[in-house]
Short mmCIF file of all heavy atoms in Angstrom, two decimals:
data_model
loop_
_atom_site.label_atom_id
_atom_site.label_comp_id
_atom_site.label_asym_id
_atom_site.label_seq_id
_atom_site.Cartn_x
_atom_site.Cartn_y
_atom_site.Cartn_z
N THR A 44 -22.76 7.94 -19.74
CA THR A 44 -22.33 6.78 -20.40
C THR A 44 -20.78 6.93 -20.87
O THR A 44 -20.00 5.98 -20.64
CB THR A 44 -23.05 6.68 -21.68
OG1 THR A 44 -24.50 6.44 -21.40
CG2 THR A 44 -22.62 5.46 -22.56
N ASP A 45 -20.35 8.15 -21.30
CA ASP A 45 -18.97 8.29 -21.71
C ASP A 45 -18.01 8.15 -20.46
O ASP A 45 -16.93 7.61 -20.55
CB ASP A 45 -18.73 9.62 -22.45
CG ASP A 45 -19.09 10.83 -21.66
OD1 ASP A 45 -19.96 10.66 -20.64
OD2 ASP A 45 -18.63 12.00 -21.89
N ILE A 46 -18.47 8.65 -19.36
CA ILE A 46 -17.54 8.62 -18.11
C ILE A 46 -17.55 7.22 -17.66
O ILE A 46 -16.43 6.69 -17.17
CB ILE A 46 -18.21 9.55 -17.02
CG1 ILE A 46 -17.94 10.99 -17.45
CG2 ILE A 46 -17.50 9.18 -15.66
CD1 ILE A 46 -18.39 12.00 -16.43
N LEU A 47 -18.67 6.39 -17.61
CA LEU A 47 -18.50 5.04 -17.16
C LEU A 47 -17.67 4.17 -18.19
O LEU A 47 -16.86 3.35 -17.64
CB LEU A 47 -19.94 4.37 -17.13
CG LEU A 47 -20.74 4.79 -15.89
CD1 LEU A 47 -22.14 4.19 -15.97
CD2 LEU A 47 -20.14 4.32 -14.66
N HIS A 48 -17.76 4.33 -19.44
CA HIS A 48 -16.80 3.71 -20.35
C HIS A 48 -15.41 4.04 -20.18
O HIS A 48 -14.60 3.08 -20.12
CB HIS A 48 -17.29 4.10 -21.88
CG HIS A 48 -18.34 3.25 -22.43
ND1 HIS A 48 -19.75 3.45 -22.14
CD2 HIS A 48 -18.27 2.11 -23.24
CE1 HIS A 48 -20.42 2.50 -22.73
NE2 HIS A 48 -19.66 1.68 -23.41
N HIS A 49 -15.09 5.36 -19.93
CA HIS A 49 -13.68 5.65 -19.67
C HIS A 49 -13.26 5.15 -18.36
O HIS A 49 -12.11 4.65 -18.16
CB HIS A 49 -13.57 7.08 -19.79
CG HIS A 49 -12.06 7.60 -19.77
ND1 HIS A 49 -11.21 7.13 -20.61
CD2 HIS A 49 -11.41 8.47 -18.86
CE1 HIS A 49 -9.98 7.64 -20.34
NE2 HIS A 49 -10.15 8.51 -19.32
N ALA A 50 -14.11 5.11 -17.27
CA ALA A 50 -13.77 4.61 -16.01
C ALA A 50 -13.51 3.06 -16.05
O ALA A 50 -12.57 2.67 -15.44
CB ALA A 50 -14.93 4.83 -14.97
N TYR A 51 -14.20 2.47 -16.86
CA TYR A 51 -13.88 1.00 -17.04
C TYR A 51 -12.60 0.77 -17.69
O TYR A 51 -11.86 -0.06 -17.30
CB TYR A 51 -15.02 0.33 -17.92
CG TYR A 51 -14.82 -1.14 -18.09
CD1 TYR A 51 -15.34 -2.14 -17.23
CD2 TYR A 51 -14.15 -1.64 -19.19
CE1 TYR A 51 -15.07 -3.45 -17.35
CE2 TYR A 51 -13.86 -2.98 -19.50
CZ TYR A 51 -14.30 -3.86 -18.50
OH TYR A 51 -14.06 -5.16 -18.63
N ALA A 52 -12.34 1.58 -18.78
CA ALA A 52 -10.99 1.40 -19.46
C ALA A 52 -9.87 1.63 -18.51
O ALA A 52 -8.90 0.96 -18.47
CB ALA A 52 -10.98 2.40 -20.60
N LEU A 53 -10.02 2.64 -17.67
CA LEU A 53 -8.95 3.01 -16.71
C LEU A 53 -8.81 1.90 -15.63
O LEU A 53 -7.69 1.49 -15.18
CB LEU A 53 -9.22 4.38 -15.98
CG LEU A 53 -9.20 5.54 -16.80
CD1 LEU A 53 -9.68 6.77 -16.05
CD2 LEU A 53 -7.73 5.79 -17.39
N ALA A 54 -9.95 1.37 -15.10
CA ALA A 54 -9.89 0.38 -14.13
C ALA A 54 -9.32 -0.92 -14.63
O ALA A 54 -8.47 -1.63 -14.14
CB ALA A 54 -11.29 0.07 -13.60
N ARG A 55 -9.71 -1.24 -15.88
CA ARG A 55 -9.06 -2.36 -16.72
C ARG A 55 -7.62 -2.33 -16.83
O ARG A 55 -6.85 -3.32 -16.65
CB ARG A 55 -9.86 -2.62 -17.93
CG ARG A 55 -9.54 -3.84 -18.72
CD ARG A 55 -10.15 -3.93 -19.93
NE ARG A 55 -10.10 -5.24 -20.66
CZ ARG A 55 -9.07 -5.46 -21.59
NH1 ARG A 55 -8.12 -4.52 -21.80
NH2 ARG A 55 -8.99 -6.52 -22.20
N ALA A 56 -7.14 -1.12 -17.14
CA ALA A 56 -5.67 -0.86 -17.38
C ALA A 56 -4.88 -1.22 -16.15
O ALA A 56 -3.78 -1.61 -16.24
CB ALA A 56 -5.44 0.51 -18.06
N ASN A 57 -5.52 -0.83 -15.02
CA ASN A 57 -4.86 -1.14 -13.84
C ASN A 57 -4.77 -2.48 -13.33
O ASN A 57 -4.13 -2.89 -12.29
CB ASN A 57 -5.45 -0.23 -12.67
CG ASN A 57 -5.15 1.23 -12.77
OD1 ASN A 57 -4.07 1.59 -13.33
ND2 ASN A 57 -6.06 2.06 -12.39
N ARG A 58 -5.52 -3.35 -14.06
CA ARG A 58 -5.68 -4.81 -13.81
C ARG A 58 -6.06 -5.10 -12.40
O ARG A 58 -7.17 -4.57 -11.94
CB ARG A 58 -4.21 -5.44 -14.04
CG ARG A 58 -3.75 -5.38 -15.47
CD ARG A 58 -2.46 -5.90 -15.77
NE ARG A 58 -2.03 -5.67 -17.15
CZ ARG A 58 -0.93 -6.18 -17.67
NH1 ARG A 58 -0.02 -6.81 -16.87
NH2 ARG A 58 -0.52 -5.93 -18.83
N GLY A 59 -5.31 -5.68 -11.53
CA GLY A 59 -5.64 -5.96 -10.22
C GLY A 59 -6.52 -7.28 -10.08
O GLY A 59 -7.17 -7.72 -11.04
N ALA A 60 -6.45 -7.78 -8.92
CA ALA A 60 -7.19 -9.03 -8.60
C ALA A 60 -8.66 -8.83 -8.47
O ALA A 60 -9.06 -7.62 -8.13
CB ALA A 60 -6.43 -9.70 -7.29
N PRO A 61 -9.44 -9.91 -8.58
CA PRO A 61 -10.85 -9.69 -8.35
C PRO A 61 -11.18 -9.55 -6.97
O PRO A 61 -10.38 -9.73 -6.02
CB PRO A 61 -11.41 -11.02 -8.97
CG PRO A 61 -10.27 -12.07 -8.77
CD PRO A 61 -9.00 -11.31 -9.08
N GLY A 62 -12.38 -9.00 -6.70
CA GLY A 62 -12.82 -8.74 -5.30
C GLY A 62 -13.57 -9.94 -4.73
O GLY A 62 -13.28 -11.07 -5.28
N VAL A 63 -14.49 -9.67 -3.75
CA VAL A 63 -15.05 -10.85 -3.05
C VAL A 63 -15.94 -11.71 -4.01
O VAL A 63 -16.14 -12.82 -3.64
CB VAL A 63 -15.82 -10.27 -1.88
CG1 VAL A 63 -14.97 -9.73 -0.78
CG2 VAL A 63 -16.90 -9.22 -2.34
N ASP A 64 -16.48 -11.10 -5.11
CA ASP A 64 -17.33 -11.89 -6.01
C ASP A 64 -16.59 -12.62 -6.97
O ASP A 64 -17.19 -13.46 -7.67
CB ASP A 64 -18.35 -10.86 -6.61
CG ASP A 64 -17.61 -9.86 -7.53
OD1 ASP A 64 -16.43 -9.81 -7.60
OD2 ASP A 64 -18.39 -9.09 -8.27
N GLY A 65 -15.27 -12.52 -7.03
CA GLY A 65 -14.43 -13.35 -7.97
C GLY A 65 -14.62 -12.89 -9.49
O GLY A 65 -13.90 -13.42 -10.31
N GLN A 66 -15.32 -11.88 -9.77
CA GLN A 66 -15.60 -11.44 -11.09
C GLN A 66 -14.39 -10.70 -11.72
O GLN A 66 -13.74 -9.84 -11.10
CB GLN A 66 -16.84 -10.60 -11.16
CG GLN A 66 -17.15 -10.15 -12.62
CD GLN A 66 -18.52 -9.37 -12.63
OE1 GLN A 66 -18.52 -8.31 -12.00
NE2 GLN A 66 -19.45 -9.82 -13.52
N THR A 67 -14.01 -11.08 -12.91
CA THR A 67 -12.81 -10.45 -13.57
C THR A 67 -13.29 -9.66 -14.81
O THR A 67 -14.36 -9.77 -15.26
CB THR A 67 -11.80 -11.58 -14.04
OG1 THR A 67 -12.47 -12.33 -15.03
CG2 THR A 67 -11.41 -12.52 -12.98
N PHE A 68 -12.35 -8.77 -15.28
CA PHE A 68 -12.69 -8.08 -16.51
C PHE A 68 -12.99 -9.02 -17.64
O PHE A 68 -13.79 -8.72 -18.54
CB PHE A 68 -11.42 -7.15 -16.82
CG PHE A 68 -11.35 -6.09 -15.82
CD1 PHE A 68 -10.28 -6.09 -14.83
CD2 PHE A 68 -12.08 -4.88 -15.81
CE1 PHE A 68 -10.15 -5.11 -14.01
CE2 PHE A 68 -11.98 -3.90 -14.86
CZ PHE A 68 -10.94 -4.05 -13.98
#
Side-chain angles (χ1 to χ4, degrees):
T44 301
D45 58 338
I46 287 180
L47 282 178
H48 272 80
H49 188 53
Y51 180 87
L53 293 172
R55 186 181 186 274
N57 286 331
R58 299 180 182 178
V63 292
D64 62 356
Q66 189 176 51
T67 65
F68 292 101

